[in-house]
Amino acid sequence: MYRVAKASEYLVITGVGIQDIKLAKKAWILPGQSYTVFDLSPVNYTFEVQAMSAEKLPFVLPAVFTIGPRADDHESLLKYAKLISPHDKLSNHVNELVQGIIEGETRVLVASMTMEEVFRGTKEFKREVFEKVQLELNQFGLLIYNANVKQLVDVPGHEYFSYLGQKTQMEAANQAKVDVAEATMKGEIGSKMRKGQTLQNAAKIDAETKVIAVQRNGEGEKEGIKVRSEVKVFENEREAEVAQANSELAKKKAAWTKAAQVAEVEAAKAVALREAELQGEVEKMNALTTTEKLKAEFLSKASVQYETKVQEANWELYKKQKEAEAILYEKKTEAEAQIALADATFYARKQVAEADLYAKQKEAEGIVTLGQSQGVYISTLLTALEGNYTALRDYLMINGGMFQEIAKINAEAIRGLKPKISIWSNGGDNNGGITEGGMGMKDLAGVYKMLPPLFKTVHEQTGMLPPSWMGVLPNKSS
């Protein structure tokens, strides 16, 4: 017979004409040969390896390995077909074999490393475990397609990683405190340095200002003496000019007095006019002030009324919301009650249906038991009657009252009938003097004698009449 393997399978053939084993994707299976099929698909193996580091610190190493036969190497496939394929890939045998290899190599490797090396060199550790485990799996024709080493886990009672995390957290917190204190120190020192530099610069500027002030004062005094001398000369010249001006001033005072009096009159009139204008503006301002006051009063009243209306509307809305919530709660309670009632009704009906079903099952079991008993009874009767089915039938009909029932049914069928009996006579039955040929005519005549009573009976029972060419029945009057 011809066999073809799937895309991910191989045929392993042994038997007549094959030295060891033969691997093929398709082949003829000859008499005297046998074959099996194995799958090349890789399988995930999940382990939690308990190991101990060089410091005698135990820990758990969770790992997931994806392992399968090496599909690109014929020798590896032969090893896999001989050693692993007879067993299921997910069986305990294969699982324990792979787990033993992985645990052994992992423990040997971890025993030569410190916990810090394992924790910090996860990538190198994974590579070394991968290589060492692969060397051991080569003898079985297996290949590691993927290896995933998860985060290290503490063994109960040895919380190394927990303490290490707490240590890291405390170091970070202490370093943060040191950084804060150092920043505070730098801030205070910088502040003091800035204050000192400010005071030094201020003192320097004050000294320079005083020097410049003394220089300016000396120069000012020199300039003052010069100015005073010049002023004295100027005052003398001006006194002469004042004397001359006084004479001219006396002349002009009269004109100025006249002009002053005219100006006073004009000023008085202008003041009166201005007072009238200002009084008008004051009255306008008073009117505007009164108007604004009234507006403010009306606005305050309107605001109060608005706030009151808003509060009343909010109160009405709150009452309506509470009423709606109460109605909703009542409806919800009624719905829950109806649901509970429906559940109770459904449960009661379910119990009744289960009881009916149980009763029907028991009734059916009784019928089956009765049928089995009757079958045994009939078999016993048939054996006693030596296999006579006719006698068995007659016995069962008699024992079951069948003949009595048939008699009753027949009696009920003919009850109430009023049969009519007609006697016809067509002459005597004397056979004297009739030859053999006459006997044949007698039989034919007998048939014709039988027709009238037959037609009469059919007519009485069905109302039908014979054709006219055959004869006419006599009326009752005739």
Side-chain angles (χ1 to χ4, degrees), residues 223-346:
E223 291 293 332
I225 295 170
K226 181 178 179 181
V227 169
R228 282 196 295 271
S229 60
E230 292 177 355
V231 168
K232 190 63 176 175
V233 173
F234 183 76
E235 286 178 354
N236 293 330
E237 292 177 354
R238 289 293 178 269
E239 285 179 357
E241 293 176 357
V242 167
Q244 185 179 356
N246 285 331
S247 61
E248 293 178 358
L249 180 61
K251 294 178 182 178
K252 294 180 179 180
K253 278 184 178 180
W256 290 346
T257 302
K258 180 180 178 180
Q261 291 176 355
V262 172
E264 287 178 359
V265 173
E266 291 177 355
K269 297 298 182 182
V271 168
L273 181 59
R274 185 59 181 166
E275 286 180 356
E277 291 177 357
L278 292 175
Q279 185 64 33
E281 292 180 0
V282 169
E283 291 177 357
K284 289 181 181 179
M285 292 302 296
N286 290 333
L288 291 175
T289 304
T290 306
T291 302
E292 293 296 330
K293 182 178 180 182
L294 293 175
K295 286 182 179 180
E297 291 178 357
F298 285 122
L299 180 61
S300 62
K301 290 181 180 180
S303 300
V304 171
Q305 290 178 357
Y306 171 75
E307 294 294 334
T308 304
K309 295 294 183 181
V310 169
Q311 293 297 328
E312 291 177 356
N314 291 335
W315 171 246
E316 291 295 331
L317 177 61
Y318 177 77
K319 288 198 300 182
K320 290 182 179 179
Q321 287 179 348
K322 290 302 179 181
E323 291 175 357
E325 290 176 358
I327 293 172
L328 177 62
Y329 179 76
E330 183 178 357
K331 295 295 184 181
K332 183 177 179 181
T333 306
E334 291 178 358
E336 292 176 353
Q338 290 178 359
I339 292 172
L341 180 60
D343 292 340
T345 304
F346 172 74

Side-chain angles (χ1 to χ4, degrees), residues 413-439:
I414 63 174
R415 179 180 296 175
L417 295 179
K418 297 178 180 180
K420 294 182 179 182
I421 301 174
S422 301
I423 300 175
W424 290 72
S425 176
N426 294 313
D429 294 332
N430 189 7
N431 295 329
I434 300 176
T435 62
E436 184 176 356
M439 289 297 294

Side-chain angles (χ1 to χ4, degrees), residues 1-17:
M1 56 183 173
Y2 191 71
R3 289 289 180 267
V4 178
K6 296 181 180 179
S8 62
E9 296 177 346
Y10 264 98
L11 298 175
V12 182
I13 306 171
T14 59
V16 177

Side-chain angles (χ1 to χ4, degrees), residues 331-370:
K331 295 295 184 181
K332 183 177 179 181
T333 306
E334 291 178 358
E336 292 176 353
Q338 290 178 359
I339 292 172
L341 180 60
D343 292 340
T345 304
F346 172 74
Y347 179 77
R349 291 182 178 177
K350 182 179 178 182
Q351 294 298 323
V352 171
E354 291 178 354
D356 291 341
L357 177 61
Y358 181 77
K360 294 293 183 182
Q361 289 177 350
K362 291 300 179 182
E363 184 178 355
E365 291 175 0
I367 293 172
V368 172
T369 304
L370 179 61

Side-chain angles (χ1 to χ4, degrees), residues 174-195:
N174 293 333
Q175 184 63 36
K177 292 179 181 179
V178 171
D179 293 341
V180 171
E182 185 175 356
T184 303
M185 178 188 69
K186 290 181 178 179
E188 292 180 354
I189 292 173
S191 176
K192 296 295 185 182
M193 289 176 64
R194 294 292 182 273
K195 289 181 180 179

